[in-house]
Amino acid sequence: MAADDTRQFLALIVPGCRFVLTTHVNPDGDGLGSQLGLAWLMRTQGAVVRIINHDPTPARLAFLDPAATIETYNPEVHDAVIESADVVVMLDNGDPGRLDTMRAPLDRCRGRKVCIDHHPDPPPYWDFMVHRVGASSTGEIIAELIQATRLTPDVAAARALYAAVSSDTGRFRFGNTTQLAFQTAAWLVHCGVKPAEMYDQLEQGLSHSYCRLSGQVFANMEIAADGALVLLRVPLALPDASAVDGEDLARIINEALRVAGCRVAGLFRELDPQQTKISLRSNGGLDVQSIAKAYGGGGHKSAAGAVVANAMEPTIEQLRPALLALARS
């Protein structure tokens, strides 16, 4: 039997209802795949759906949206759309601050504001939530919604949801890879997904910029705490730094966890001389989220991040004691 919040959310999807779907800045595989899967479900029920994101879709995930239905936010075009929507759904994040400049029109929207997410501790902003902290991914939650309708997604929607689950579980190798995550993936394969093709799309075809940048970043990695802590820097001055998107940088920080003995990894990207993006990862269940949260960020226990208004090197020095303590714990 479907959970109460599942039934309540599905009841919102009626013919003619105007939905806007969005996700956090720098959209990733889980956010994008969840949007595309949910949009398929809504359109089959006659709803009017627009997907609007603050930042463009990363090039290596564009294959999930061959018809280019995902729109990149332009206030002159989209503010009125967001403000007049019957329902705005934020996927894969509960913090409206992570909408950046899209937050203002969302605040002005008189329709219902809904969040579908699996991250812990969402703020009390939303009119309604479908919240599953134990889910491997938001894509897993969207699969649950579709299964509750007894509909079978088309291959494009199934591929999007498979990418969502696969992305947030690190291709089914992270600690959040549960039995349900595998069951969801198996169901999506039954719906027509070909795992080998998806792996090729998601993992192969690395850009030249990514390969050059990752080599430079790892050549200058800092190793501390007898190898338990790995710190990576991406200053703007590095060639190719501006050509690599957030999805590729997530790949770099995940690779850091494969360094022998590494328990905690941090990647620091210089966005401008006074702004730094922090990405943190851990092995063995160590809690990096609490560190990110102290700097206004969030995420999962073993994968979290934040953006701080400070130069890169001072930011590293501020976080170093906490990261060292965690790596040595």
Side-chain angles (χ1 to χ4, degrees), residues 56-130:
T57 299
R60 73 181 185 87
L61 295 175
F63 77 96
L64 296 173
D65 183 30
T69 60
I70 299 174
E71 304 172 54
T72 302
Y73 175 62
N74 177 339
E76 294 181 2
V77 174
H78 295 121
D79 277 5
V81 176
I82 297 168
E83 292 169 22
S84 64
D86 297 313
V87 184
V88 177
V89 184
M90 174 79 156
L91 293 115
D92 196 37
N93 179 61
D95 180 2
R98 292 201 66 203
L99 287 170
D100 204 324
T101 54
M102 282 182 65
R103 167 72 184 268
L106 177 63
D107 287 344
R108 295 192 294 267
C109 176
R110 294 186 178 180
R112 298 197 73 179
K113 301 178 180 74
V114 177
C115 176
I116 304 177
D117 190 27
H118 65 129
H119 295 88
D121 304 321
Y125 176 86
W126 307 99
D127 298 320
F128 179 71
M129 293 194 71
V130 181

